[in-house]
Amino acid sequence: MDFYQKSRQVILDHQMSSGAFIASPAFVHYQYCWLRDGTFIAYALDLMGDHLAAERFFRWGAMVVERYRHKASHVIDLVNLRKDVPVDCLLHARFTEDGFEVEGEWGTYQLDGYGAWLWGLSKHVKRTGHEFLYAELMPSIELILRYLLATWSKPCFDCWEENSHRLHLSTVAAIYGGIAAVKEYVSTELRTSAEKELSRMKSWLFQEGIKEGHFTKYVESDEIDASLLWLHVPFAVVDPLHPAMLETVRLIEGQLFFEGGVHRYPQDVYYGGGQWILLSAWLGWHFVLTGKKNKALAIKQWIDRQFDSDGYLPEQAAHHLLHPDHYLVWNNQLGSSAKPLLWSHAMYIILCQKI
Ligand code: BGC
């Protein structure tokens, strides 16, 4: 089977008429659309030349932003007035395919997806030369930029939708990457505040985010998390040769990497804490950029072996679990884990392209 083309097909088959992507069509809990997943899916499409499909996603994102403009503006006003921001005022992280918030219990308050969306949109414009999109979507871009400038230093759920009371380095990396990517195109006044805040974010990451020589999952933790790779790629906050980044990758390889697959973090119990396809591809992406192509190829080959007979990739592979006792607990509670996961297919495409 041509896994690369199959992945493209899985993604295109599950793009909704609105432009959104359902995270995992067969897993009931993921039948919604996340800005985070969607951005990397759209980036994979852009790398393959499917620009129209990618553009439809970015337009869907802007439509969502405009629908909830009143919420974002209210949060910005509260922060400017130095008032508390109640959690239910904040923008959500996942939406229905038509771009409405989803009711019910969920860790909805996550900021990284908005940073990623800005970053992905800028990559799309760069690759296609469609600068008209900046002109058309500028009101939404500027609103999100203001929103992130106002909120980045507040705790929120991380990219795994956990630990809501913490400040996560990968979240700040995504915000940094998004703001840095669009700052040249926004108003002069906004660019000036963006530049000031970007340098505060960077100092913050180095002052608060390093312990024992490596970056940490969140402030006041000494754990690592594979999402710390975002500091290097794609959000380019930290040079991959910075000693703390080198040490972080060394620990990720030592503690979270096993025969080609990458775990999220040492204490992960979700479905027993298996190996995530998307993170494996991420480490491969980092290896390509740091001149270790053979290691990236070995990861790609490991991912090739995770495709099932229908050509689908799961969210995580279950052959090597960090906490096997928890596997059945999740399985009994939620059913089999997510498959196909569109974000896994996207990261596979990205890794193949980068190799
Ligand atoms: C993951 C998120 C992801 C969502 C949808 C969650 O379990 O932790 O990163 O956005 O699933 O794929």
Side-chain angles (χ1 to χ4, degrees), residues 23 30 34 36-37 159-161 264 270 276 315 341 343:
Y30 289 3
W34 278 256
R36 170 177 47 244
D37 300 40
C159 60
W160 312 131
E161 322 201 283
R264 293 195 296 181
Y270 185 51
W276 282 52
E315 180 178 59
L341 187 87
W343 192 8

Side-chain angles (χ1 to χ4, degrees), residues 119-192:
W119 169 85
L121 180 55
S122 81
K123 290 285 172 195
H124 174 78
V125 172
K126 206 165 262 165
R127 193 162 277 266
T128 56
H130 292 170
E131 298 233 342
F132 63 84
L133 264 186
Y134 276 147
E136 278 183 44
L137 306 186
M138 197 43 77
S140 321
I141 295 172
E142 290 200 338
L143 178 68
I144 288 307
L145 204 155
R146 283 205 173 84
Y147 180 76
L148 293 175
L149 292 178
T151 52
W152 75 266
S153 58
K154 300 188 182 304
C156 71
F157 283 95
D158 63 10
C159 60
W160 312 131
E161 322 201 283
E162 294 172 341
N163 298 308
S164 61
H165 299 296
R166 302 290 185 178
L167 273 160
H168 305 274
L169 274 73
S170 53
T171 299
V172 175
I175 295 173
Y176 181 101
I179 294 178
V182 297
K183 73 178 167 57
E184 299 305 324
Y185 306 94
V186 301
S187 70
T188 317
E189 163 254 322
L190 203 48
R191 185 184 323 151
T192 311

